[in-house]
């Protein structure tokens, strides 16, 4: 089978289509259903980030990738002050995964998200993240090896 590189979509970011995005997630997280992993992480981020940042992030995704995370609804305008355990538990419960694997899941989805958004958008997101997530976001952006 021949590898075909999908061209960038024409939005603000450099994102590609749903299939290419999910393939990037699968490459990072072969033991997880990629669409569910994306939804789990994005729903947790939606609760943690301000609404304006979430909207800007969504706008950088191609329309068919946006559909993956469209079910994630913010419960209020202000971000929740989830501590590390609550955030990780949110992702683990959504994904039905062991909490020990959440950092790996975050890294994999973040790496795929970085392939979709601009550097400037990444900087906006990281400026709003707590330290316990910020390191994983930055490691995924720099292409640092995923945690084990």
């Amino acid at each position: 089978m021949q590898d075909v590189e999908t061209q960038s979509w024409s939005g603000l970011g450099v994102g590609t289509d749903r299939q290419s995005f999910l393939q990037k997630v699968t490459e990072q997280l072969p033991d997880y259903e990629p669409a569910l992993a994306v939804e789990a992480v994005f729903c947790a981020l939606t609760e943690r980030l301000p609404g304006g940042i979430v909207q800007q992030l969504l706008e950088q995704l191609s329309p068919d990738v946006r559909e993956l995370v469209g079910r994630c609804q913010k419960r209020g305008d202000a971000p929740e002050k989830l501590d590390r355990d609550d955030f990780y538990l949110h992702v683990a419960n959504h994904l039905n995964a062991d909490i020990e694997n959440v950092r790996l899941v975050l890294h994999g989805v973040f790496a795929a998200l970085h392939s979709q958004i601009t550097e400037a958008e990444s900087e906006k997101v990281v400026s709003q993240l707590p330290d316990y997530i910020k390191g994983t976001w930055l490691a995924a952006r720099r292409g640092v090896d995923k945690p084990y």
Side-chain angles (χ1 to χ4, degrees), residues 43-117:
C43 286
L45 281 176
T46 298
E47 288 299 320
R48 185 59 188 86
L49 293 172
I53 297 290
V54 171
Q55 186 58 38
Q56 290 172 5
L57 186 59
L58 283 171
E59 288 171 1
Q60 292 221 345
L61 302 175
S62 64
D64 57 345
V65 173
R66 261 183 248 148
E67 290 174 12
L68 285 173
V69 296
R71 290 177 269 171
C72 301
Q73 298 297 318
K74 193 169 190 65
R75 285 179 253 177
D77 288 336
E80 282 191 35
K81 298 298 182 195
L82 300 173
D83 66 15
R84 179 183 184 266
D85 292 339
D86 287 340
F87 186 88
Y88 279 33
L89 190 59
H90 189 286
V91 174
N93 286 342
H94 194 116
L95 193 53
N96 196 24
D98 292 330
I99 200 157
E100 306 84 53
N101 296 330
V102 168
R103 192 162 163 252
L104 173 67
V105 171
L106 291 173
H107 187 279
V109 173
F110 288 170
L113 274 173
H114 285 301
S115 73
Q116 303 291 302
I117 65 175

Side-chain angles (χ1 to χ4, degrees), residues 113-126:
L113 274 173
H114 285 301
S115 73
Q116 303 291 302
I117 65 175
T118 64
E119 180 98 10
E121 189 61 33
S122 177
E123 290 296 324
K124 288 179 196 174
V125 171
V126 80

